[in-house]
Amino acid sequence: MAQSKPGGLIDNVKTIVYAALIALGIRTFAYEPFNIPSGSMIPTLLVGDYLFVSKFSYGYSHFSFPLSPPLFSGRIFGRLPERGDVVVFKLPRDTSTDYIKRIIGLPGDRIQMRAGHLYINDTEVPREPDGTYTVTDDGPSMVYKRYIETLPGGVRHEILKASDDGPLDNTQEYLVPPGYVFAMGDNRDNSLDSRVLNAVGFIPLENLVGRAQFLFFSIDAEAPWWEIWEWPFEIRWSRLFTSIH
């Protein structure tokens, strides 16, 4: 018995170390969890959504690793995102901050908002009215117009618009530089994104963390945390294990 205890302890420590290494490997090279704290991507993503991001979709940069150690520059096995991908990236002006938006512009594209309508390379992106949408989980309740937008290449996705004459509804033309992409939130009038050059601006490909793949949990946490009997009713069961488009 005296000899088995030390061996058992060592085996347990080895198991914990191996499990930690496996988890670190999965987080670094396969999938990393993120949660949604704001409403800039409503209705695609809601406050309280938890999702997995695929780290391998665009290759790996030093931002793929925990704490983002500056081990190298550029991307290994790099691949350009597709227009319409929902991506997590490091904010260019503060790389400790993660943002999630939709890729609208690729290198060489010209992007502009005119009277609330999106133009890519001087061509208006079509949008179809799709009723209204009431936002209740990002501050005061508000009713927005909902549209189905079809990006070049065929990706269709929902967007919300409060109006077509907001601060970011008439912009300059943005020319996306080589090695960068342009991203916007689906909640168009409530999104700090690439349209604001001094806050987000163009996103270096190196700053991409990965592609948002699917939701694994979602909760509308309105009740106080100590009311545990309310927890099952706050889970958005219909959103669990759904893919992100």
Side-chain angles (χ1 to χ4, degrees):
M1 292 295 293
Q3 293 179 349
S4 65
K5 288 182 179 179
L9 177 61
I10 292 174
D11 288 342
N12 289 339
V13 170
K14 286 182 178 179
T15 300
I16 294 172
V17 170
Y18 292 154
L21 290 175
I22 292 171
L24 180 62
I26 292 173
R27 181 195 179 282
T28 300
F29 299 106
Y31 293 97
E32 183 175 353
F34 286 88
N35 73 290
I36 304 302
S38 73
S40 69
M41 283 295 292
I42 296 173
T44 304
L45 298 172
L46 307 181
V47 176
D49 280 348
Y50 290 77
L51 55 91
F52 278 118
V53 168
S54 59
K55 305 294 286 289
F56 50 82
S57 293
Y58 312 124
Y60 305 97
S61 73
H62 71 274
F63 292 115
S64 302
F65 296 87
L67 304 179
S68 305
L71 301 175
F72 57 93
S73 60
R75 302 194 77 87
I76 299 174
F77 308 119
R79 184 176 71 84
L80 198 64
E82 295 183 7
R83 195 190 316 274
D85 284 358
V86 178
V87 305
V88 171
F89 60 91
K90 296 292 184 180
L91 188 63
R93 64 182 175 87
D94 177 13
T95 55
S96 65
T97 301
D98 294 312
Y99 262 39
I100 184 165
K101 306 290 180 185
R102 188 180 298 274
I103 298 296
I104 298 296
L106 301 174
D109 281 341
R110 291 176 291 117
I111 311 295
Q112 189 174 21
M113 295 294 295
R114 305 177 191 170
H117 292 251
L118 172 63
Y119 285 75
I120 300 179
N121 298 323
D122 264 339
T123 300
E124 183 178 356
V125 175
R127 68 183 197 185
E128 307 164 24
D130 191 40
T132 60
Y133 187 98
T134 302
V135 175
T136 59
D137 58 351
D138 191 38
S141 178
M142 293 186 64
V143 178
Y144 291 82
K145 293 179 181 179
R146 178 168 56 189
Y147 298 92
I148 304 296
E149 188 175 77
T150 303
L151 295 171
V155 173
R156 291 168 56 84
H157 65 103
E158 295 179 316
I159 64 168
L160 299 183
K161 290 288 296 171
S163 71
D164 283 331
D165 60 357
L168 296 177
D169 283 330
N170 290 281
T171 70
Q172 66 183 76
E173 184 178 81
Y174 307 94
L175 176 60
V176 185
Y180 291 79
V181 290
F182 190 97
M184 295 170 62
D186 291 347
N187 190 355
R188 288 287 166 79
D189 297 323
N190 188 24
S191 174
L192 186 66
D193 51 40
S194 291
R195 293 173 290 178
V196 186
L197 294 178
N198 62 355
V200 180
F202 304 116
I203 302 156
L205 291 173
E206 185 178 43
N207 286 42
L208 298 181
V209 175
R211 185 177 187 271
Q213 292 287 95
F214 65 93
L215 300 174
F216 66 89
F217 189 67
S218 182
I219 186 167
D220 183 13
E222 293 186 351
W225 66 268
W226 47 267
E227 293 184 359
I228 58 176
W229 56 88
E230 294 287 348
W231 292 0
F233 304 101
E234 294 190 327
I235 296 174
R236 303 183 184 111
W237 297 99
S238 62
R239 295 182 64 80
L240 271 58
F241 306 107
T242 56
S243 57
I244 298 171
H245 300 288

